[in-house]
Every structure is written in structure tokens, then in C-alpha cells.
Amino acid sequence: MNIALIIAGGSGNRMGQDIPKQFIHIDGAPIVIHTMMCFQRHPDIQQIAIVCLKGWETVLQSYANQFNITKLKHIFPGGDSGMESIHNGIYGLLEAGCDGEDLVLIHDAVRPLLSQDIISGNIATCKAYGYAVTGIKCREAILESEDGFSTSTSIPRDRLIRTQTPQTFRLKNIISAHEEAKEKGITNSVASCTLCAELGNRVMHLVPGSEKNIKVTTVEDLEILKALMHTSKENWLK
């Protein structure tokens, strides 16, 4: 079984709005609903699970009912960090009876323009290699700064990857990673891919991402999201 585990446990403080960013409405629906629809539409996703900000579970379920998200089967409580929220989600799936061989596509709730091709690529890559991470090769020149105001050091970009989500694992493997992290005292890795990198001995295979697979973090990102939702590729472009 292929399960989308959507992480919607954050409060969105950086957005500076009165409601969590995943519940901000764009084009008549909350961002999290647009994200859920990406998985609702994909024929190879059997279930959707959400890790939800505490206190918003009823709101989320009501929106899912309103927009006919029939694949939503589980809502788990969010944690105090992204890593804790993922922990709650994967162990929630285990307790709900999901199999260790099931594929879990861990995805940010605020990446609502996820393509069907990226979902398919994650499933195929994880089935073939065990680990799949969506990413984009870095195009920008990269400088390193210790104080955020000055720099004299550049970092070669040729080997740099900007990661996105989904990041896909067999349920047993991502649970094993969290168990090992607990033993080693790793409690706040920023993403599942960085956790696996910190633990070592896990080769992650890359799935091509997209600049459209934007993560909404700031008000500026909202403006970019709105623009992307209302544009389409010109017919003359190859």
C-alpha cells in the first residue's frame, strides 16, 4: 500500500498571520486541501494520513468532508518540531495496522502544487531502491557566511541538491531510522533526508523535483503560489 503522510503540524509563525498557513485559503480552499487533492487524484495512492496542529483536527476533517477527500483515513497529533510530527505520523500508521512494507510518502502540507509525475517517481524509486528524496540541482552561486552580513567563501554548486518533498520510505525503514536517532540523541533533524544522512549507512536516491513544487513559508511565497496557480505553459514552448 502507498500512503501519503502529510505534515500539517506547524503553527506557521514565520507567516505572521492569524491562522496557521496550511489553513489559509487560496482559490476557494485551504492550502492543505490543495495538497491533499494532489494525492487524492493519484491512482497509486491508497490512503492519506495527516499530522495536524493540535486543536485544528475537527477543522481539518470538516474541510476534508467538504472537498470530498475520500482517501483521508488517519489524523494524528502534531509535535513540537517537524521531526516529532513525523515521528507521531509514522508510529500512528504502525499502530493503525499499516504494514512495515508499505510505502510512506512524507510531504509538507504547504507544498500544494505537487505534480503527479513527482508522486509516481517517488513510488517507483522507493520500490526499486528503498529510499526516495525529491530534489533539484542547485543553479545559484552559493556563498557561505557566518554572520549573515559578510562572506569571503564560496561553495561549489555542482554537487549541491535542494531537497523538496515527498520523501519516501518503507514504513519499517523510517521507523528504524527514528529508533536509531533516539538511541543517538538526535531529536530535531530538519527533514527525513537529513536524519538519514546524519545516521549514515543509508543511500537515498533522488527524484527530480520542480520549481513549481514551492513550499509556502512567507507572504511572498503566497503571492508566488497564486501566480503559479493561474499560469500555464505557452503552446509554443517545447
Side-chain angles (χ1 to χ4, degrees), residues 75-235:
I75 299 177
F76 304 119
D80 293 331
S81 66
M83 183 174 171
E84 187 176 329
S85 288
I86 293 171
H87 176 281
N88 292 352
I90 59 177
Y91 280 88
L93 290 173
L94 186 65
E95 292 171 5
C98 294
D99 190 271
E101 294 293 331
D102 289 340
L103 267 58
V104 181
L105 291 81
I106 302 173
H107 187 66
D108 300 318
V110 288
R111 290 188 188 270
L113 296 184
L114 175 64
S115 73
Q116 301 291 283
D117 285 344
I118 292 176
I119 296 174
S120 296
N122 267 263
I123 293 171
T125 300
C126 189
K127 283 182 176 179
Y129 301 107
Y131 297 82
V133 175
T134 308
I136 298 178
K137 289 184 178 180
C138 189
R139 300 173 182 171
E140 297 86 354
I142 302 296
L143 300 177
E144 183 178 17
S145 174
E146 293 186 2
D147 59 11
F149 296 99
S150 61
T151 179
S152 61
T153 306
S154 67
I155 300 174
R157 66 186 178 185
D158 296 345
R159 298 171 62 186
L160 297 181
I161 299 294
R162 295 160 45 210
T163 63
Q164 302 180 333
T165 60
Q167 298 176 8
T168 305
F169 313 86
R170 294 195 184 277
L171 181 59
K172 65 179 183 181
N173 290 340
I174 191 62
I175 286 178
S176 174
H178 277 254
E179 289 289 331
E180 187 177 341
K182 183 178 179 180
E183 294 174 3
K184 294 183 175 180
I186 301 172
T187 60
N188 197 21
S189 196
V190 297
S192 296
C193 62
T194 59
L195 174 61
C196 289
E198 289 177 64
L199 294 173
N201 299 318
R202 291 167 172 84
V203 177
M204 293 169 281
H205 285 74
L206 298 171
V207 177
S210 168
E211 296 291 355
K212 292 182 178 180
N213 188 22
I214 183 175
K215 183 178 182 180
V216 178
T217 303
T218 66
V219 172
E220 184 179 43
D221 294 332
L222 275 178
E223 296 170 358
I224 295 170
L225 173 61
K226 288 180 181 179
L228 288 171
M229 292 178 77
H230 291 279
T231 59
S232 58
K233 185 178 177 180
E234 297 284 351
N235 292 332

Side-chain angles (χ1 to χ4, degrees), residues 19-47:
I19 63 172
K21 58 188 176 182
Q22 58 268 37
F23 291 100
I24 292 175
H25 279 239
I26 300 291
D27 273 17
I31 290 174
V32 66
I33 290 295
H34 289 291
T35 302
M36 293 167 72
M37 284 301 302
C38 299
F39 295 102
Q40 176 72 26
R41 290 193 295 265
H42 198 285
D44 294 330
I45 296 294
Q46 284 78 44
Q47 289 189 9

